[in-house]
Amino acid sequence: MAEMVEAHTGAAALGMADGSGLRVALSPYLFRGTMVGMAAAAVAIHRTTGSQALAWGFAKARARDLCDLLGLDITLTGLENIQHGGPFVFAPNHQSHLDILALLGFLPGHTRFATKSSLWKHSVIGAVLDTLGMIPIDRDQPELAIEHLNQQAGSDEALVIFPEGTRSRDGRLAPFKKGAFVVAIALQRPIVPVICRGTRRLMPKGSRMVVVPGPIEIVIEAPIPTIGLTYDDRAALSTQVRAAIERHHTGF
């Protein structure tokens, strides 16, 4: 509880310091309200038109709009690294809820996120996740999760899998789980290390959705090929991805 209060107070104090106190105070309502509205509209579009691609495109546009409303300045570097050779498995570090918002809005192409299967227990949330083509992962049964990912991954769609599995509390990279690397090898897709910088500073874990305006940088590293790799190569592949992320990782 003390950590949550400290995170909330720190974010608010930073907002007051840069003169954006009102926007910071309203940010939880903007964040939740826009996300709920976007989700409802995306489900309606999907059910009315039958087009998941149209619903996903709508959600991507609204994610960009929300970044603007919250005063987030998103910069992508390394786009030239993924101009050819896809589809990819993107493997980002995970510092904040803002990682998902920024990646959804600004990663190029049609991306599908892997997320914890427990979210599908809520019928409304599950409907939204299905509409956007998200893929459930059961953390207690990783082999089944990998099998499900292999079955659900579209041939022309990129996958986004957070190797840490959850957000960092202290900014340090957590141990990597094997799912992203096993999936990349099974699909023989290049895996792309991605670094989100600035998201934890603007919306740390435990901040109760308080968002401080500021810059976010998404760094896209060169894809690591998996052609010819086998299940036994998963640890070495994980080490390569972690090393690439650590070259840019700042912990905030």
Side-chain angles (χ1 to χ4, degrees):
M1 178 62 73
E3 181 177 316
M4 183 180 295
V5 171
E6 182 180 351
H8 185 284
T9 303
L14 181 56
M16 295 299 181
D18 69 5
S20 55
L22 181 58
R23 177 179 258 168
V24 171
L26 293 176
S27 64
Y29 308 101
L30 286 172
F31 193 92
R32 292 190 182 96
T34 303
M35 292 298 286
V36 169
M38 176 271 285
V43 171
I45 290 169
H46 185 218
R47 292 184 176 178
T48 301
T49 67
S51 173
Q52 189 178 76
L54 188 61
W56 182 89
F58 171 83
K60 186 179 184 73
R62 298 294 77 74
R64 289 173 175 256
D65 290 343
L66 181 53
C67 286
D68 288 340
L69 283 172
L70 294 171
L72 304 176
D73 181 16
I74 312 295
T75 301
L76 268 71
T77 59
L79 278 174
E80 68 278 2
N81 290 324
I82 55 171
Q83 293 301 310
H84 308 286
F88 302 104
V89 175
F90 291 106
N93 65 315
H94 202 5
Q95 301 279 338
S96 165
H97 282 311
L98 294 181
D99 300 330
I100 299 171
L101 179 66
L103 293 170
L104 172 62
F106 292 89
L107 271 182
H110 190 167
T111 51
R112 301 178 67 182
F113 287 72
T115 188
K116 56 186 179 182
S117 59
S118 60
L119 291 176
W120 271 261
K121 293 179 181 178
H122 306 279
S123 58
V124 174
I125 295 175
V128 174
L129 295 172
D130 286 337
T131 291
L132 298 180
M134 304 309 184
I135 301 174
I137 287 183
D138 186 342
R139 293 174 182 171
D140 295 326
Q141 302 184 70
E143 300 303 334
L144 291 179
I146 292 166
E147 180 181 344
H148 190 79
L149 280 165
N150 290 340
Q151 294 171 350
Q152 293 295 316
S155 60
D156 61 346
E157 298 169 328
L159 293 175
V160 180
I161 308 176
F162 293 99
E164 296 166 277
T166 190
R167 289 166 290 151
S168 171
R169 282 196 174 273
D170 58 10
R172 291 179 293 183
L173 278 179
F176 282 2
K177 303 180 185 303
K178 66 181 179 180
F181 312 103
V182 173
V183 168
I185 290 171
L187 298 178
Q188 295 287 276
R189 290 188 181 186
I191 189 165
V192 181
V194 178
I195 305 88
C196 299
R197 301 197 298 201
T199 55
R200 181 173 177 268
R201 182 179 69 88
L202 302 181
M203 187 185 186
K205 188 171 184 177
S207 67
R208 294 182 178 271
M209 302 297 178
V210 173
V211 181
V212 175
I216 291 174
E217 185 178 13
I218 299 172
V219 181
I220 300 173
E221 267 282 335
I224 299 171
T226 63
I227 297 295
L229 298 186
T230 68
Y231 182 83
D232 291 338
D233 297 308
R234 66 195 184 282
L237 184 60
S238 174
T239 299
Q240 280 185 273
V241 171
R242 190 179 185 93
I245 291 175
E246 285 179 336
R247 283 198 291 270
H248 304 276
H249 191 262
T250 58
F252 61 81

